[in-house]
Amino acid sequence: MSLPEFLADRVAAEIRQQMDGVLALTEQLARQRLTADGEACVAGVRSAAEGVSRMVDAGRDLKAVVRQGLTPDLGPVVLREIMDEIQERWQPRAAASGVTLLVSFDGEPDVSAIADRNRLLQIFDGFIGEAVAAQARGAIEVGLSVETGPDGVRLEGRVRGPRDTGWDSQDIESRIRNIAERLDLEVALGAMLARHVLSGMNGRLRKEANAGASETVSFEIDLSPVVEEAAAPAEDTGRAAHILVVDDNATNRMVAQSLVEMFDCTSESAEDGEEAVEAAQTGRFDLILMDIRMPRMDGVAATRAIRALPGRLGAVPIIALTANADPDDAEGYLAAGMNGVVEKPMKPEHLLQALQQALDPGSSAAAA
């Protein structure tokens, strides 16, 4: 990676981290008693921070997908919930643009598949964003049909919106460049990302002109079904896991500790790797959440120092918390002795999954 690319990545990561802090603080403010004007200001700050975060995430994801290919984060997904989330995230934006958003789902309400939830949302986001940006009035229809069979689960997604006759003669790169220059950078990033993600999932894309001035963009993806397994009874020892949160950023520590408490665990914090090593020597912690980039001693060096401690002190599970979680980085963290990686900004379901995998289900630490 060249120095300009490295610096650009660091700028994007720093912007994302600062936006995480802004969003965490707005959530705290939203819980306070505010005047109507104060609530409107908080809502405006949240909306702006979310917009910046979405653009940074889309740019980072697009770069990773183009450079390294798609690395899916697979898990069971209730497919109807995809459309519920589409409705929630796009209804306000469509209404602000004077557009009526119609969302539908055709399939069994509880049908599930093994899929990457966020990637499916990115595909819909890309095509819906294009339609909303191009539609001055009227309606946009978004649908998902699901068919289950002996070979798996087939999805057909559809977005019906205005026909982009002004761009029909242009190749896709010229079209998206046009969007970025004249309409919306976030829409352009989403449109390009949707196509790369769909291709990486072996999806099939087609566009059909409808009667009048509309068109339907549709895509098909084949997924594996969820195989139900009998769950082993969990042992309840009555003791919550005690977790050390290590991060040099105070806002990040606050966010991580709030999530840990949401999972009924207890926590303490440290501000750098040296403090983390000192805390680990006390033997009080069932797990350590370790930031990577810190002053004095970074997370990798701290992990190696902890692994050199004798007995159970050196065996404590350690999970990396980092904005640099591409496969090469993650491989390095695991080689240093970490048990897992959670990407920043942290999502509760990803953190919970990492905690469950790192903590021995048969031990007293499994209260998480």
Side-chain angles (χ1 to χ4, degrees):
M1 180 186 298
S2 68
L3 180 58
E5 287 179 315
F6 170 77
L7 292 175
D9 285 349
R10 291 300 304 137
V11 168
E14 184 65 24
I15 292 172
R16 191 61 174 89
Q17 180 169 301
Q18 296 297 332
M19 288 300 100
D20 288 346
V22 172
L23 288 169
L25 294 175
T26 55
E27 289 299 323
Q28 295 291 333
L29 279 175
R31 296 189 182 100
Q32 310 300 317
R33 289 186 176 181
L34 301 173
T35 64
D37 287 344
E39 290 177 353
C41 288
V42 170
V45 171
R46 180 192 292 121
S47 177
E50 288 174 344
V52 172
S53 297
R54 285 195 304 268
M55 279 194 287
V56 172
D57 288 346
R60 181 188 59 187
D61 284 352
L62 179 58
K63 180 179 178 180
V65 169
V66 171
R67 175 181 292 177
Q68 302 162 357
L70 186 66
T71 305
D73 181 12
L74 299 177
V77 177
V78 179
L79 297 170
R80 183 181 180 86
E81 292 179 356
I82 296 292
M83 304 315 290
D84 292 339
E85 188 160 347
I86 289 294
Q87 177 84 35
E88 181 179 352
R89 68 164 64 183
W90 279 102
Q91 187 66 52
R93 182 169 176 177
S97 300
V99 174
T100 300
L101 184 68
L102 305 174
V103 179
S104 64
F105 177 81
D106 182 14
E108 295 295 327
D110 58 350
V111 65
S112 300
I114 299 299
D116 187 326
R117 178 189 185 91
N118 290 328
R119 296 302 190 187
L120 288 177
L121 287 168
Q122 284 176 333
I123 294 171
F124 272 111
D125 285 346
F127 296 123
I128 296 171
E130 285 185 80
V132 170
Q135 178 72 295
R137 52 187 171 78
I140 292 173
E141 301 175 19
V142 183
L144 176 63
S145 298
V146 180
E147 293 183 3
T148 57
D151 297 329
V153 181
R154 173 163 294 181
L155 309 187
E156 181 184 359
R158 302 175 304 281
V159 178
R160 178 173 177 169
R163 187 182 307 169
D164 51 0
T165 54
W167 294 327
D168 281 346
S169 62
Q170 300 180 23
D171 60 42
I172 188 60
E173 290 195 6
S174 296
R175 171 180 172 175
I176 291 176
R177 189 184 300 274
N178 187 305
I179 295 174
E181 290 176 348
R182 299 189 179 185
L183 293 174
D184 191 319
L185 177 58
E186 183 182 345
V187 172
L189 286 169
M192 183 63 83
L193 180 60
R195 286 163 173 80
H196 279 282
V197 170
L198 183 61
S199 176
M201 298 176 72
N202 297 316
R204 300 167 293 281
L205 176 65
R206 65 178 182 271
K207 184 172 69 170
E208 299 176 354
N210 305 316
S214 69
E215 68 179 15
T216 299
V217 176
S218 60
F219 59 88
E220 290 184 352
I221 302 174
D222 295 322
L223 300 174
S224 300
V226 175
V227 179
E228 299 291 342
E229 297 181 0
E235 179 182 352
D236 184 4
T237 62
R239 186 175 77 83
H242 191 51
I243 296 175
L244 177 65
V245 176
V246 187
D247 201 303
D248 62 315
N249 184 285
T251 301
N252 290 343
R253 292 196 301 273
M254 180 184 70
V255 172
Q257 290 190 273
S258 296
L259 290 176
V260 163
E261 292 171 4
M262 186 172 72
F263 301 140
D264 295 327
C265 300
T266 58
S267 68
E268 297 179 38
S269 66
E271 296 186 12
D272 58 41
E274 288 190 6
E275 290 188 9
V277 175
E278 292 176 4
Q281 294 178 39
T282 68
R284 298 195 308 271
F285 302 100
D286 299 306
L287 184 141
I288 298 174
L289 297 177
M290 183 79 74
D291 185 29
I292 297 299
R293 297 182 182 274
M294 295 180 290
R296 295 207 300 172
M297 179 183 286
D298 66 23
V300 171
T303 297
R304 289 176 175 146
I306 292 171
R307 291 292 178 248
L309 297 175
R312 68 179 186 85
L313 297 179
V316 59
I318 301 174
I319 296 174
L321 301 179
T322 178
N324 301 314
D326 62 49
D328 290 339
D329 290 325
E331 185 177 346
Y333 304 148
L334 297 177
M338 295 183 173
N339 300 81
V341 180
V342 173
E343 187 174 12
K344 294 180 180 179
M346 285 180 289
K347 296 184 178 179
E349 62 271 21
H350 292 174
L351 179 59
L352 178 59
Q353 183 181 25
L355 293 179
Q356 291 172 329
Q357 289 175 349
L359 294 170
D360 182 1
S363 71
S364 60

